[in-house]
Amino acid sequence: MQLSPSGSIDAPLAAAGPWIVAINGVPKARVSADVAKVLKAVDGKKDPFQVALFLGSPWTAQDVMGIVGQLAHTGIFDGGAAPLAMRRVQFRPPLTVQFTLFNPAPLLEFFRPMVAAMARPGMAAVALLLLLGGLVGAFIAGPSMWRVLAAPLPVEAYLYVVAAMFVSTLLHELGHGMALTYFGGTPRRIGIMLFYLSPAFFCDVTDGWRLSSKQRVLVALAGPLVHVALGSMVLAGQALFPESSVKDAAVLYGVICYAVAVLNLFPFIKLDGYVALMSAVDIPHLRKKSLDALADVVSFRVLGSRRTLGRGGLLRWFGLASFVAGTAFMVIGYQRLVPIFLQLGFVGHLVVLAVLCLLLVMALKGVIRCFRAAAANGSPRWRRILVVLLGLVAIGVLLATIPVRAVTVAGYTYQGGQLKIVMPAQGPSRALSPGDTVTLQSQGMILHENLGRATIGDQPPSNSMAPLDTLVPVAIAGDTLPVMAFSGHLESGTNLSSSGRAEVTSQRQSSLGEWFWASITTSPLWPGQAAPTGDSTKGEQ
């Protein structure tokens, strides 16, 4: 037996770092120096007895075979794992596609002296002053910050922010790479990836597993620190700018940088904060192990299987927090993004359907995997069948009994004392009904300030034109788009802007199942649901 062509035994980069068993450069297991010595001696020419003899006392042939048996699953031996060509496009399950741009190692090695200078103890005071300057700048921004977050901005302000966020996200990833380079590691590649359909940069810092626990924590935190530094510099500097779209863009960019840094430190999602926590407690694959511990408890309590992971300690609680956090993030993302996509007509509905199908498939695979593991660990078949039946009954009861009121995201115009509630021309004409409650809001990118309340009038909808910022948080003077306009009766709100966002809550209460079915059958994707024409929208109630 010998090492596979794709396998390697990587030495630690620090005195307290582990030896790493890697396949195609991807760490598969951490081993001690003694185990690494055995693996290096397995060269395809010696049998276990000869390897033990080569290593000397107290090694035995049984010790050698025991180590080989424990690591065989990694594919480190013989042809267990074939070498992979370094492709620019790589797929990482379950749903990540990576596009490699370049090897950052030479560039980061060039900047290593600068990083070493920044890592001196005295620089901590400079960093604190920079953070203080950013907080003071945010305080000075005051009311303008609220306006920037809660009102539509000129399109050029958003272009500035998008360009700046593109650069800062790249610097974020380079920050991870710089920290790894400073500690003696080698970042292999940097690029752009689709992470669950969302574009993002990435930097391959898997070589960091050869570092000590403390050093891995610092590598993980380097990225959020870059965003904090950039946000602080911009928020401090914007206090010197005159009122302009550039100043608005600087305020928005600074707030987003701080938000990105805080979000990245959240430990229950696989972001930088999770990697830092995993490194601090020195438990590889912490999230997977904690979710496995949670599944083991659920399988034991619900499906009657044997316990295979013991009591799990705090792991199961971390798994529960990770599960709840992941679900909450998906729900929040659904509430904020899906209404925007649904306003885009057929294409937007198609994107929403694809995402929902993806989430459903992932959830179904998780349930199937849990039931298979329970069956392998002695769960009675009758109990698994009973749980499935009870689950289906519970879903049916919830769909039939949970009351919901449909909420439609629309816009409004208010001119000459006349209020109109508007929707995209390609939207369903029966989405709004007379008597529906309307919450009038500001059309901000981040915040939606409540400005007043109204109800839908009895007059039939008509074709009209409305400003762009009724449907999207972009202010472009003179730019309008075709809409369906519904009459509205203003009930409260005396300081309304001429246009903004509207949330329309249906007066008709239905069950969750009825609402779900109505959403499906009124979608443009449903057979027979053609996009409305100009004539078809006139006179409808």
Side-chain angles (χ1 to χ4, degrees):
M1 184 171 287
Q2 61 184 347
L3 296 183
S4 69
S6 62
S8 63
I9 312 299
D10 300 332
L13 294 172
W19 288 76
I20 298 296
V21 173
I23 302 294
N24 291 306
V26 178
K28 294 297 182 181
R30 299 190 302 173
V31 298
S32 66
D34 289 337
V35 173
K37 186 184 301 184
V38 173
L39 294 176
K40 289 185 175 183
V42 177
D43 57 3
K45 301 177 182 179
K46 307 182 191 72
D47 61 27
F49 177 79
Q50 292 172 322
V51 170
L53 186 63
F54 172 79
L55 295 173
S57 179
W59 291 102
T60 66
Q62 289 75 13
D63 295 333
V64 174
M65 288 304 300
I67 291 173
V68 169
Q70 290 178 5
L71 295 175
H73 71 281
T74 65
I76 191 67
F77 299 112
D78 294 329
L84 292 178
M86 291 303 296
R87 302 185 181 93
R88 284 193 173 271
V89 180
Q90 298 184 26
F91 176 75
R92 294 286 185 268
L95 194 65
T96 300
V97 181
Q98 297 180 339
F99 305 86
T100 299
L101 296 178
F102 62 92
N103 179 5
L107 175 66
L108 298 179
E109 189 63 37
F110 175 80
F111 284 105
R112 184 177 182 182
M114 183 183 70
V115 177
M118 295 172 58
R120 293 174 181 172
M123 293 300 294
V126 177
L128 290 175
L129 287 176
L130 181 61
L131 176 60
L132 180 61
L135 296 177
V136 170
F139 178 77
I140 293 175
S144 65
M145 179 179 293
W146 181 266
R147 175 183 58 80
V148 167
L149 299 180
L153 298 179
V155 66
E156 60 265 24
Y158 291 124
L159 293 177
Y160 296 149
V161 173
V162 169
M165 287 306 302
F166 179 87
V167 174
S168 59
T169 305
L170 176 60
L171 293 177
H172 175 116
E173 295 303 323
L174 287 173
H176 292 302
M178 284 184 177
L180 177 62
T181 302
Y182 172 73
F183 290 122
T186 303
R188 294 183 175 88
R189 56 199 178 97
I190 196 167
I192 300 175
M193 66 178 177
L194 291 176
F195 182 71
Y196 289 94
L197 303 181
S198 299
F201 280 100
F202 73 91
C203 183
D204 186 349
V205 293
T206 52
D207 202 36
W209 280 107
R210 299 161 62 195
L211 300 173
S212 67
S213 174
K214 180 180 178 180
Q215 291 170 335
R216 294 200 307 273
V217 171
L218 294 176
V219 171
L221 296 180
L225 288 176
V226 169
H227 264 108
V228 171
L230 293 172
S232 297
M233 287 188 292
V234 172
L235 283 174
Q238 62 81 30
L240 306 176
F241 297 167
E243 293 295 332
S244 64
S245 59
V246 175
K247 182 181 179 70
D248 289 343
V251 172
L252 179 59
Y253 171 75
V255 172
I256 293 177
C257 278
Y258 278 175
V260 168
V262 171
L263 177 63
N264 266 273
L265 293 177
F266 191 67
F268 302 114
I269 302 293
K270 293 184 73 174
L271 299 171
D272 295 334
Y274 162 76
V275 176
L277 176 64
M278 177 177 62
S279 301
V281 299
D282 204 22
I283 301 178
H285 309 294
L286 173 62
R287 194 170 189 272
K288 180 181 183 303
K289 291 178 180 178
S290 63
L291 290 174
D292 288 344
L294 176 64
D296 187 59
V297 173
V298 172
S299 181
F300 171 72
R301 298 291 185 185
V302 178
L303 300 177
S305 64
R306 295 187 302 271
R307 297 289 294 270
T308 58
L309 301 177
R311 295 194 172 274
L314 294 177
L315 273 180
R316 56 185 177 179
W317 295 109
F318 185 83
L320 179 61
S322 298
F323 177 79
V324 172
T327 304
F329 266 67
M330 286 190 292
V331 171
I332 293 173
Y334 175 88
Q335 290 178 331
R336 293 192 65 87
L337 297 179
V338 167
I340 297 176
F341 278 101
L342 292 182
Q343 294 185 63
L344 301 179
F346 184 88
V347 175
H349 282 253
L350 189 62
V351 172
V352 171
L353 176 63
V355 172
L356 289 179
C357 289
L358 172 65
L359 295 176
L360 181 61
V361 169
M362 292 175 63
L364 188 60
K365 287 178 63 176
V367 172
I368 293 174
R369 186 166 56 248
C370 180
F371 271 70
R372 285 179 175 175
N377 292 320
S379 171
R381 176 176 294 181
W382 67 266
R383 191 157 178 168
R384 282 177 279 138
I385 294 175
L386 179 61
V387 168
V388 170
L389 293 177
L390 290 177
L392 294 175
V393 170
I395 292 174
V397 170
L398 292 175
L399 290 175
T401 58
I402 293 181
V404 296
R405 295 181 185 271
V407 177
T408 303
V409 177
Y412 78 86
T413 61
Y414 185 63
Q415 296 177 345
Q418 187 176 21
L419 178 67
K420 293 289 186 180
I421 310 301
V422 301
M423 291 187 62
Q426 70 272 24
S429 60
R430 302 182 187 277
L432 310 184
S433 301
D436 288 350
T437 302
V438 183
T439 302
L440 306 174
Q441 300 175 328
S442 63
Q443 184 69 282
M445 174 65 73
I446 307 297
L447 302 177
H448 304 299
E449 181 183 7
N450 289 341
L451 304 176
R453 297 184 66 83
T455 55
I456 301 294
D458 295 330
Q459 298 179 10
S462 60
N463 290 328
S464 183
M465 303 294 290
L468 181 64
D469 63 3
T470 57
L471 300 180
V472 293
V474 178
I476 302 179
D479 199 359
T480 60
L481 71 166
V483 295
M484 288 188 299
F486 297 76
S487 64
H489 297 302
L490 185 63
E491 297 181 351
S492 64
T494 58
N495 192 28
L496 291 179
S497 58
S498 59
S499 59
R501 185 176 188 267
E503 284 190 357
V504 184
T505 303
S506 174
Q507 63 177 335
R508 177 178 177 270
Q509 180 174 292
S510 60
S511 68
L512 179 61
E514 291 174 332
W515 169 83
F516 190 67
W517 179 249
S519 299
I520 294 175
T521 55
T522 57
S523 168
L525 302 179
W526 188 258
Q529 287 290 337
T533 63
D535 295 336
S536 66
T537 61
K538 296 181 179 180
E540 293 192 12
Q541 298 290 336

